Amino acid sequence: MKKCLAFCLLSCLCFFCFSESENQYFNTAVGFSSYFSENASLIGLTYQEWFDNGWGFQFSAGAIKNDSVNYSLEVKAQRLLTTNKMGKRTSSALFLWASSGVFSTENYSTNTTSPSFFLGTGFGIEFILFNHISIPITFGINGSFSSETSVA
């Protein structure tokens, strides 16, 4: 696992260091998102828009499957740091992101579903292949809290 992570980071570094800087982005994109862990998996759709000033946003909606099916909605603000072009149809980007959203959680003792909220921040690397196929990889930290949480 450590060798795979080191290879990915080294590849990303080489991709950015040995490429010419040029903005190669399409302003809007519709995509597919997924997340898998040992406790739950998420499958959903995303809509992304970039503005000429380097700022962008992404909206994601999906279904979470753990013991039951729940939902997740997320809004992500993004700041483009740099874009690079390698060849005629391949480019990459480095960006910062901050997100907030809501997902449903189930209380098994009362058999009710209630919303939980989350906030997160991090950075992402996005590869554009054939000028249209986007492969983003994001790293970050999220924190969540339940709407049922009370402060005494």
Side-chain angles (χ1 to χ4, degrees):
M1 181 66 181
K2 288 181 183 181
K3 289 181 182 181
C4 181
L5 182 60
F7 175 75
C8 290
L9 291 175
L10 184 60
S11 298
C12 294
L13 180 64
C14 290
F15 201 77
F16 282 104
C17 291
F18 299 110
S19 58
E20 57 190 72
S21 180
E22 181 178 319
N23 192 340
Q24 182 76 4
Y25 264 75
F26 291 89
N27 290 342
T28 61
V30 176
F32 173 77
S33 64
S34 64
Y35 166 81
F36 300 100
S37 73
E38 62 185 57
N39 298 330
S41 59
L42 175 133
I43 296 175
L45 297 174
T46 63
Y47 173 80
Q48 183 180 50
E49 176 127 5
W50 287 100
F51 301 104
D52 291 334
N53 61 3
W55 286 93
F57 74 90
Q58 180 174 317
F59 176 76
S60 301
I64 301 172
K65 174 70 174 115
N66 42 23
D67 294 335
S68 63
V69 177
N70 298 305
Y71 67 88
S72 173
L73 301 171
E74 177 185 26
V75 175
K76 188 181 284 187
Q78 300 170 319
R79 176 66 176 155
L80 197 58
L81 297 177
T82 184
T83 62
N84 294 298
K85 181 179 175 186
M86 281 188 74
K88 293 182 180 180
R89 296 181 177 215
T90 307
S91 63
S92 62
L94 177 65
F95 60 92
L96 298 175
W97 59 267
S99 68
S100 66
V102 62
F103 63 96
S104 62
T105 56
E106 250 182 84
N107 185 336
Y108 295 105
S109 61
T110 61
N111 201 21
T112 59
T113 301
S114 62
S116 293
F117 304 93
F118 65 89
L119 297 171
T121 187
F123 69 96
I125 301 165
E126 187 169 34
F127 300 100
I128 308 291
L129 307 173
F130 307 110
N131 292 338
H132 296 285
I133 300 171
S134 167
I135 303 171
I137 302 169
T138 59
F139 302 92
I141 186 166
N142 281 329
S144 64
F145 54 96
S146 173
S147 60
E148 296 176 351
T149 303
S150 62
V151 178

